[in-house]
Amino acid sequence: MQLVLEKRAERSTVIALVSPLIAIGLTIVTMSILFVIIGKNPIAALNVYFITPLTDAYSLQELAVKAAPLVMIAIGLSLCYLANVWNIGAEGQFLVGAVAGSWLAVKTHGTDAGAWVLPAMLLLGAIAGALYALIPAICKVRFGASEILVSLMLVYVADLLLDYLVRGPWRDPAGFNFPTTAEFDPVATVPLLLEGGRLHLGTVIALVIVVAAAVLLGRTIKGFEIRVVGAAPRAARFGGFSSNQLVLLTFAISGALAGLAGIIEVAGPVGHLQPGISPGYGFTAIIVAFLGRLNPVGILIAGLFLALTFIGGEQAQIAMKIPLDITKVFQGILLFYVLACDSLILYRIRLIVPQRKAADGAA
């Protein structure tokens, strides 16, 4: 006997739309079992994860703050995935963007620089992220290398570069030997939208990016080209669309958005450059992209949901002594179920029983 995946003649549109909800439901069931295994009340744990953060005004602000980088990165990743190219290294592009923008903040620290510093930092972060993302794109186009492996390996290069800078040349002399730069000047920080919280201008930028992506994919020729090249490469070639150019373009946009998210995170909630500026935003954004069905509005909703798991995980660690790593387990299980549900939408599982040859007969 053999189990095979057989491509369906057509897929159900309704099932495709509710697939993320099915994946979330299965994830919650699985996590409930895990909570029981580690000796925690599953109902209380789920309440802390998903309900409690929504009842507090400060937590709602934090929800938007956490969702902003996830949404920005996931929008860029969705463009790559729609074009059938796979950027797995957004975490590295996030870090490189943070480093590039922070360079200007470090160089102008204490110099009474003008209001131009922050826009220049954001521009540097986006450019650095785009250039870093073009490395795996060029390797794929020019040498046929796997963009998945190259982009993923570059994450570790970016992480080590950041670690070297904050422990070496950029370390704050007055920072008691901690691996961090000096606190950024006010002109190098993202403005807050509300006093008494951390809600900042980056959340508005994330919303603008969602609208821009929706217009790009739904109202422009380039958006049509992205979707055609990903869905029907052969038809795209007949239409005169260049898949290689699209690889470079989508990687550049994806890296630019990841780099922009990185410098906004450093110049906003963090306020200085240090190791561990990302709790895994670049990798979590992959889940956000697929959970949002590679649709900008869906990604916004999915980003808010995944941000809720970060905040809920922190509160569960405090209130119930649940390890923070459980949040990463939750996100990994969610990605598994999202991909599994998507696979079953496109394919059916079929059991093949080989026909036994007649032992006798023809003789």
Side-chain angles (χ1 to χ4, degrees):
M1 293 186 297
Q2 184 181 11
L3 286 175
V4 297
L5 288 176
E6 184 180 78
K7 191 172 182 64
R8 298 179 185 273
E10 58 182 18
R11 70 172 190 170
S12 170
T13 304
V14 174
I15 295 298
L17 291 175
V18 301
S19 174
L21 299 179
I22 297 173
I24 291 172
L26 292 172
T27 302
I28 290 175
V29 171
T30 304
M31 289 303 297
S32 298
I33 296 172
L34 180 59
F35 287 137
V36 171
I37 292 174
I38 64 176
K40 304 296 182 180
N41 184 328
I43 296 178
L46 291 174
N47 181 71
V48 172
Y49 260 88
F50 299 111
I51 304 300
T52 303
L54 301 177
T55 61
D56 178 68
Y58 182 82
S59 294
L60 290 175
Q61 290 189 44
E62 285 296 299
L63 184 67
V65 171
K66 293 283 189 185
L70 289 174
V71 170
M72 283 190 278
I73 299 170
I75 289 290
L77 293 179
S78 70
L79 298 180
C80 288
Y81 300 159
L82 285 170
N84 202 26
V85 289
W86 304 95
N87 181 8
I88 308 298
E91 181 78 0
Q93 296 141 30
F94 178 94
L95 297 177
V96 165
V99 167
S102 297
W103 168 81
L104 185 59
V106 170
K107 291 300 179 182
T108 59
H109 180 69
T111 62
D112 295 325
W116 60 270
V117 174
L118 180 61
M121 288 171 60
L122 300 182
L123 182 61
L124 279 175
I127 292 174
L131 293 176
Y132 204 62
L134 282 174
I135 297 175
I138 293 173
C139 288
K140 176 182 176 63
V141 171
R142 181 67 179 84
F143 305 107
S146 168
E147 74 274 24
I148 296 174
L149 293 178
V150 177
S151 62
L152 181 60
M153 288 188 292
L154 286 173
V155 172
Y156 303 100
V157 176
D159 191 34
L160 291 173
L161 173 64
L162 166 61
D163 197 63
Y164 162 73
L165 290 173
V166 296
R167 295 180 189 277
W170 291 2
R171 185 170 58 186
D172 182 11
F176 302 100
N177 212 33
F178 284 101
T180 175
T181 65
E183 291 292 319
F184 292 172
D185 292 334
V187 293
T189 56
V190 178
L192 295 176
L193 298 180
L194 295 174
E195 293 294 333
R198 298 202 306 163
L199 189 66
H200 55 78
L201 186 62
T203 56
V204 177
I205 295 175
L207 292 176
V208 171
I209 290 172
V210 169
V211 174
V215 173
L216 171 67
L217 292 173
R219 301 289 181 179
T220 68
I221 295 296
K222 187 56 67 176
F224 174 73
E225 181 180 344
I226 290 172
R227 288 185 278 111
V228 170
V229 169
R234 196 173 174 189
R237 286 194 296 271
F238 281 117
F241 298 148
S242 172
S243 60
N244 286 344
Q245 290 181 4
L246 205 60
V247 170
L248 298 174
L249 176 65
T250 53
F251 260 88
I253 294 175
S254 180
L257 292 179
L260 179 63
I263 186 56
I264 288 176
E265 183 71 11
V266 170
V270 181
H272 57 264
L273 190 64
Q274 65 179 31
I277 57 173
S278 169
Y281 285 137
F283 296 116
T284 306
I286 299 173
I287 306 174
V288 173
F290 282 107
L291 189 63
R293 317 308 294 164
L294 306 181
N295 177 281
V297 177
I299 286 172
L300 176 61
I301 297 171
L304 290 169
F305 177 76
L306 266 296
L308 185 61
T309 67
F310 278 118
I311 298 171
E314 293 170 356
Q315 295 193 2
Q317 183 184 30
I318 297 171
M320 300 184 66
K321 303 298 186 291
I322 294 176
L324 192 59
D325 287 341
I326 290 291
T327 299
K328 296 181 180 179
V329 174
F330 176 92
Q331 294 170 353
I333 292 173
L334 178 58
L335 178 60
F336 170 79
Y337 280 128
V338 168
L339 296 179
C341 290
D342 284 351
S343 297
L344 293 177
I345 290 172
L346 298 174
Y347 300 90
R348 63 165 58 91
I349 299 177
R350 184 179 176 189
L351 179 64
I352 297 178
V353 180
Q355 297 293 330
R356 297 182 61 183
K357 295 182 180 179
D360 307 307

